[in-house]
């Protein structure tokens, strides 16, 4: 009698568990995104936060947040205190220090000014406050044969011209004019500092969402009447907003409301 051979084993079907990957539009890993949301939950004034507050701010389930926090703690990005609350860890501080050490604002400002000049056809500049004056830190000349020239490093008055007015407004200067600028998020001027020169400007914010300066375009007033300046306002604000996000990071509780006015 023949011995029966054992039946061939059917191949084992391996079912892969779905990974925490957002395979949609972003292609990001969900666990990483959620971990970053927990780090982003800490504001500038928050020395520590409870698990309940972290889950509320991140819109995350308690068990998920706790698992991610413990993983972040192993890498030193957060630390759990004796009372159970959480604070940012030394790895987070070291990451920020390395970012600041390697960051060159000119690598962000100049490309933005170049794009702004191309979009408007006018010269674009970036101004910062120096005491009671303003100075031009960066500038890109427009393509037009007739254009407004501003000397780099020259000290100019804050109270004349839209770049200075915007800096004053977002520094908290009182008065209806400055209240209107803060409400609109931009300002234009025609012949205020220089005869036959028109400008339109918007604020730029830096680290911790403190006012850094203003960005503007400028040109001859006959080429930039009021209607044209108003038409460029949205473009100016969009450029200023993008620069602010590049310099200051994601929106926080300290982010001025005007930053999001024209931002997509």
């Amino acid at each position: 009698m023949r011995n029966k051979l054992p039946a061939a084993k059917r191949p084992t079907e391996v079912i892969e568990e779905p990974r925490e990957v957002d395979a949609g539009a972003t292609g990001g890993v969900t666990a990483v995104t959620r971990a970053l949301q927990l780090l982003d939950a800490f504001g500038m004034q928050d020395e520590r936060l409870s698990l309940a507050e972290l889950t509320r701010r991140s819109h995350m389930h308690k068990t998920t947040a706790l698992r991610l926090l413990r993983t972040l703690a192993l890498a030193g990005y957060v630390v759990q205190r004796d009372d159970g609350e959480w604070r940012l860890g030394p790895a987070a501080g070291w990451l920020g220090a390395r970012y600041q050490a390697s960051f060159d604002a000119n690598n962000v400002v100049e490309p933005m000014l170049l794009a702004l000049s191309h979009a408007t056809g006018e010269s674009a500049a970036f101004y910062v406050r120096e005491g009671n004056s303003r100075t031009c830190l960066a500038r890109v000349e427009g393509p037009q044969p007739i254009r407004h020239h501003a000397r780099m490093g020259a000290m100019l008055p804050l109270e004349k011209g839209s770049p200075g007015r915007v800096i004053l407004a977002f520094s908290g200067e009182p008065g209806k004019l400055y209240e209107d600028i803060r409400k609109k998020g931009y300002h234009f001027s025609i012949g205020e500092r220089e005869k036959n020169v028109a400008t339109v400007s918007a604020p730029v914010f830096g680290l911790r969402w403190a006012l850094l300066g203003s960005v503007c375009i400028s040109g001859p007033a006959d080429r930039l009447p009021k209607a044209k300046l108003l038409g460029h306002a949205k473009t100016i604000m969009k450029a200023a907003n993008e620069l602010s996000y590049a310099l200051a990071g994601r929106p926080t509780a300290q982010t001025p409301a005007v930053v999001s006015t024209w931002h997509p």
Side-chain angles (χ1 to χ4, degrees), residues 172-193:
E173 190 75 11
K176 186 180 184 306
L177 171 63
Y178 298 108
E179 289 175 4
D180 289 342
I181 295 173
R182 286 188 287 269
K183 185 180 299 183
K184 293 184 302 182
Y186 71 91
H187 184 58
F188 74 88
S189 63
I190 300 176
E192 187 174 18
R193 189 183 70 82

Side-chain angles (χ1 to χ4, degrees), residues 160-167 187-189 192 199-201 214 216:
K160 290 185 178 180
S162 71
R165 296 282 193 186
V166 163
I167 290 173
H187 184 58
F188 74 88
S189 63
E192 187 174 18
T199 64
V200 57
S201 308
S214 63
C216 82

Side-chain angles (χ1 to χ4, degrees), residues 38 41 49-61 65:
L38 287 171
L49 291 174
S50 65
L51 177 61
E53 181 62 18
L54 283 166
T55 56
R56 186 188 70 81
R57 293 187 183 185
S58 62
H59 307 288
M60 202 175 300
H61 194 275

Side-chain angles (χ1 to χ4, degrees), residues 21 94 127 138 155 161 169 208 231 253 260:
V21 175
W94 178 231
Y127 288 88
M155 304 297 284
R208 300 181 183 180
S260 62

Side-chain angles (χ1 to χ4, degrees), residues 123-241:
S123 299
F126 176 61
Y127 288 88
V128 296
R129 184 170 189 166
E130 295 284 352
N132 293 322
S133 303
R134 59 179 167 98
T135 185
C136 180
L137 283 191
R139 181 175 176 83
V140 170
E141 297 293 343
Q144 304 279 3
I146 300 176
R147 54 182 182 258
H148 170 242
H149 295 274
R151 187 161 56 89
M152 296 275 290
M155 304 297 284
L156 303 173
L158 283 171
E159 70 280 3
K160 290 185 178 180
S162 71
R165 296 282 193 186
V166 163
I167 290 173
L168 284 172
F170 288 91
S171 296
E173 190 75 11
K176 186 180 184 306
L177 171 63
Y178 298 108
E179 289 175 4
D180 289 342
I181 295 173
R182 286 188 287 269
K183 185 180 299 183
K184 293 184 302 182
Y186 71 91
H187 184 58
F188 74 88
S189 63
I190 300 176
E192 187 174 18
R193 189 183 70 82
E194 292 182 76
K195 187 178 180 181
N196 298 324
V197 172
T199 64
V200 57
S201 308
V204 174
F205 300 90
L207 188 64
R208 300 181 183 180
W209 290 100
L211 179 69
L212 189 61
S214 63
V215 63
C216 82
I217 62 165
S218 61
D222 57 356
R223 194 169 67 226
L224 289 173
K226 179 179 178 180
K228 193 76 172 287
L229 291 171
L230 292 176
H232 285 316
K234 184 175 181 178
T235 304
I236 303 298
M237 291 189 68
K238 184 176 184 294
N241 291 347

